[in-house]
Amino acid sequence: MFKNHPKGLIPAALSNMGERFGYYIMNAVLVLFLCSKFGLKEETASIVYSCFYAGIYILGLVGGLIADKTQNYKSTIIWGLIVMTLGYVVLAFPIFATAENQAWLLTLTCFALFMIAFGNGLFKGNLQAIVGQLYDNPRYASQRDAGFQIFYVFINIGGVLAPFVAPMLRSWWLGENGLAYNASLPALCHEYLSVTDNMSTQNLNNLYALITEVGGDAAGNIQEFCSTYLNVFNTGIHYSFIASVAAMLISLFIFIATKKMLPTPAKKAAEAIKEYSQSEKTRMASEIRQRMYALFAVLGIAIFFWFSFHQNGTSLSLFARDFVKTDSVSPEIWQALNPFYVIILTPFVMMFFGWLSRRGKEISTPRKIAIGMGLAGIAYLFLVIFSAIKGYPSADEFKALPAAVAETMKTGPWVLFVLYFFLTVAELFISPLGLSFVSKVAPKHLQGLCQGLWLGATAVGNLLLWIGPLIYNACPIWVAWTVFLSVCAVSMGVMYAMVGWLERVTK
């Protein structure tokens, strides 16, 4: 698996693990945390989530421009790690949200999210550019796709562990305070504190039942209990951001200790440019235009993939909370399925690609991306059929049902295992290979910018994430899954139509 790869690959991947650790904690908890801490509606929390994740990727353009202009990729990466760490430090302080401090506290939280996004913009694309530059050496060029797949496996190790951290610390802190975890209780507590007497009879009954279930006294002071429960519940989540700080510091140490093993391509690029004749520059300009056209074509497809895939942090996360039995497993933990599958399935995907290559039937990178869109469509087709057969209503209607009735309608976790299996295989056909494609077509003097463009396409897809929860809450949920199925199917068709042209450009 590691044969014929440059020695800087593993240090680069390990340097990225801390960022992935923090990323997957945020991916698992952010929407649910904003709802439980500030009482935001799911649609509003999803907008914050969308802007944050769009910022992570769109600021990759800024980070790429800075690195390309200064020709100092490594210092840009180090500063990115430092800024991200500071953002997690701000989030780690457990300040209880009240009506009096909510405005500035929510603003502070959003500022911390911006710091994480900006630091990520300085870090992520430039590290990926350096990984691509490792394979500019003709000795390793044929291993580029496999190298990015290995890189992807290592950075997902942090993703497997991260989703367990917040639920574990939250449950521990609740237990220390004589309470138990319940996913539905924070929303009811916020509703009681905000409307009290205007709360529906059904929701009041649900609130009393859950207070007793988690170890409270339904006959006591309900307002005091709701405030206490929310404070304890969210303090445990704040503690998980301390773990993110530690992970970021480890990544910073690894990168500084191993940066000499990574290429410094600026000097080589400058020397090469001096050797070009005018006719060579003219031919290069034409080739660069074709390559950039190809890049933007693939970026257009990537937008719709990430729009569908990153529902794992919004509508799919809400689905795990609302429609899946989570008596023994918190909904955030299901986010670990994706990176777990990445680690388990990547060697098999690599062996499959290697087997095809040895038989002279190698699949081109553009064709792999088209197949990946089809696999993502299969994931949503499964959800459409399953949700229609179960007769699931909109999430708002489902949550208004009596707790006992809703519990009988919930499904087992096997649904999530099937869903994330297909989504992860789709990801393995698109994300690491998309990074490989970008590094392959990017002009040598625009490596950071082009990796930033890939992240920018991801950002555009993330800006649309709020659409999922909107449909999920307003319509029967199979309608939401049908939207994503349609997006994946159309994108696959468009990508297949461009495959011949893209293969010619990237030869």
Side-chain angles (χ1 to χ4, degrees):
M1 183 174 176
F2 303 108
K3 187 179 179 181
N4 298 324
H5 289 280
K7 63 180 181 179
L9 176 62
I10 302 305
L14 292 174
S15 299
N16 206 20
M17 282 177 58
E19 181 272 330
R20 289 288 89 183
F21 186 89
Y23 172 93
Y24 273 98
I25 283 182
M26 297 298 281
N27 193 50
V29 309
L30 184 54
V31 169
L32 303 178
F33 170 66
L34 291 171
C35 292
S36 65
K37 184 172 180 67
F38 298 104
L40 300 182
K41 292 183 177 180
E42 290 163 2
E43 294 87 347
T44 305
S46 295
I47 291 174
V48 176
Y49 177 97
S50 297
C51 292
F52 169 61
Y53 276 94
I56 281 179
Y57 292 97
I58 198 67
L59 288 169
L61 275 171
V62 178
L65 286 169
I66 290 172
D68 286 336
K69 186 175 180 62
T70 62
Q71 290 290 282
N72 197 337
Y73 291 85
K74 294 178 182 178
S75 291
T76 306
I77 288 170
I78 290 171
W79 275 109
L81 288 167
I82 292 171
V83 173
M84 278 191 284
T85 302
L86 293 175
Y88 284 116
V89 168
V90 174
L91 287 179
F93 286 97
I95 304 173
F96 180 57
T98 65
E100 291 73 26
N101 70 6
Q102 177 150 322
W104 70 259
L105 187 55
L106 182 57
T107 301
L108 179 65
T109 300
C110 290
F111 176 71
L113 294 175
F114 171 78
M115 291 179 68
I116 295 169
F118 182 64
N120 201 295
L122 296 173
F123 170 81
K124 189 177 180 67
N126 292 314
L127 185 62
Q128 290 168 181
I130 283 180
V131 173
Q133 289 153 5
L134 287 169
Y135 290 89
D136 288 343
N137 186 329
R139 177 183 175 186
Y140 305 114
S142 64
Q143 296 294 316
R144 186 182 295 268
D145 281 4
F148 272 98
Q149 288 175 315
I150 293 171
F151 179 73
Y152 213 66
V153 167
F154 270 79
I155 65 178
N156 274 277
I157 293 173
V160 170
L161 302 175
F164 291 89
V165 173
M168 179 184 68
L169 292 174
R170 181 186 57 209
S171 295
W172 164 74
W173 191 239
L174 283 166
E176 288 292 305
N177 287 271
L179 298 168
Y181 166 77
N182 184 278
S184 303
L185 189 51
L188 292 171
C189 287
H190 276 294
E191 185 179 356
Y192 184 87
L193 292 174
S194 61
V195 300
T196 310
D197 295 335
N198 293 325
M199 201 169 177
S200 70
T201 301
Q202 184 59 61
N203 283 356
L204 271 174
N205 290 336
N206 288 342
L207 175 62
Y208 295 149
L210 292 180
I211 288 174
T212 302
E213 183 180 311
V214 302
D217 180 9
N221 187 326
I222 303 299
Q223 185 168 1
E224 180 180 343
F225 172 85
C226 287
S227 295
T228 300
Y229 190 82
L230 289 173
N231 188 20
V232 174
F233 187 97
N234 291 304
T235 296
I237 301 177
H238 279 289
Y239 290 157
S240 67
F241 298 128
I242 298 176
S244 295
V245 172
M248 296 302 303
L249 291 174
I250 292 171
S251 281
L252 180 61
F253 172 79
I254 290 173
F255 185 81
I256 292 174
T258 63
K259 65 179 182 177
K260 290 183 179 179
M261 299 173 64
L262 300 172
T264 306
K267 295 178 182 178
K268 291 165 61 177
E271 291 170 2
I273 289 172
K274 293 176 184 178
E275 298 174 3
Y276 296 144
S277 67
Q278 186 58 46
S279 61
E280 287 174 328
K281 288 181 181 179
T282 301
R283 288 196 300 272
M284 285 174 58
S286 176
E287 180 183 348
I288 287 172
R289 281 196 300 271
Q290 288 297 314
R291 286 174 172 268
M292 294 303 290
Y293 292 153
L295 176 60
F296 278 103
V298 173
L299 293 180
I301 299 299
I303 288 172
F304 295 107
F305 172 71
W306 293 118
F307 166 55
S308 303
F309 179 81
H310 277 158
Q311 292 298 319
N312 60 352
T314 53
S315 59
L316 293 178
S317 184
L318 298 174
F319 174 75
R321 183 196 66 185
D322 298 334
F323 289 91
V324 178
K325 294 178 181 178
T326 56
D327 300 342
S328 56
V329 180
S330 300
E332 297 94 336
I333 288 179
W334 296 111
Q335 295 296 321
L337 274 178
N338 170 238
F340 172 75
Y341 276 143
V342 168
I343 294 169
I344 296 299
L345 295 176
T346 294
F348 293 100
V349 172
M350 290 177 65
M351 284 190 291
F352 175 66
F353 290 155
W355 177 77
L356 289 175
S357 180
R358 289 190 298 273
R359 292 173 62 90
K361 298 179 180 179
E362 184 173 357
I363 304 174
S364 68
T365 302
R367 195 174 297 274
K368 290 173 184 174
I369 293 173
I371 293 171
M373 290 304 304
L375 291 168
I378 290 174
Y380 282 107
L381 176 62
F382 163 72
L383 271 189
V384 169
I385 295 172
F386 175 80
S387 299
I389 290 174
K390 294 286 286 187
Y392 283 146
S394 70
D396 281 348
E397 292 177 16
F398 186 79
K399 286 180 286 188
L401 295 172
V405 174
E407 191 64 28
T408 63
M409 296 175 65
K410 290 183 177 182
T411 186
W414 68 270
V415 174
L416 299 176
F417 279 94
V418 175
L419 169 68
Y420 281 109
F421 173 82
F422 283 105
L423 281 179
T424 301
V425 178
E427 181 188 12
L428 292 176
F429 272 72
I430 294 177
S431 187
L433 301 178
L435 297 176
S436 174
F437 179 84
V438 172
S439 72
K440 191 181 301 181
V441 301
K444 296 295 181 285
H445 62 295
L446 296 175
Q447 287 280 331
L449 175 61
C450 288
Q451 290 289 346
L453 287 171
W454 171 262
L455 300 178
T458 311
V460 175
N462 287 346
L463 278 175
L464 304 174
L465 293 178
W466 58 272
I467 295 174
L470 187 67
I471 304 173
Y472 169 84
N473 282 323
C475 305
I477 61 172
W478 67 265
V479 176
W481 314 141
T482 300
V483 170
F484 302 120
L485 167 61
S486 302
V487 166
C488 293
V490 171
S491 298
M492 178 185 67
V494 172
M495 191 67 191
Y496 266 119
M498 298 189 299
V499 160
W501 167 59
L502 292 171
E503 287 175 343
R504 288 192 301 272
V505 171
T506 55
K507 280 184 180 177

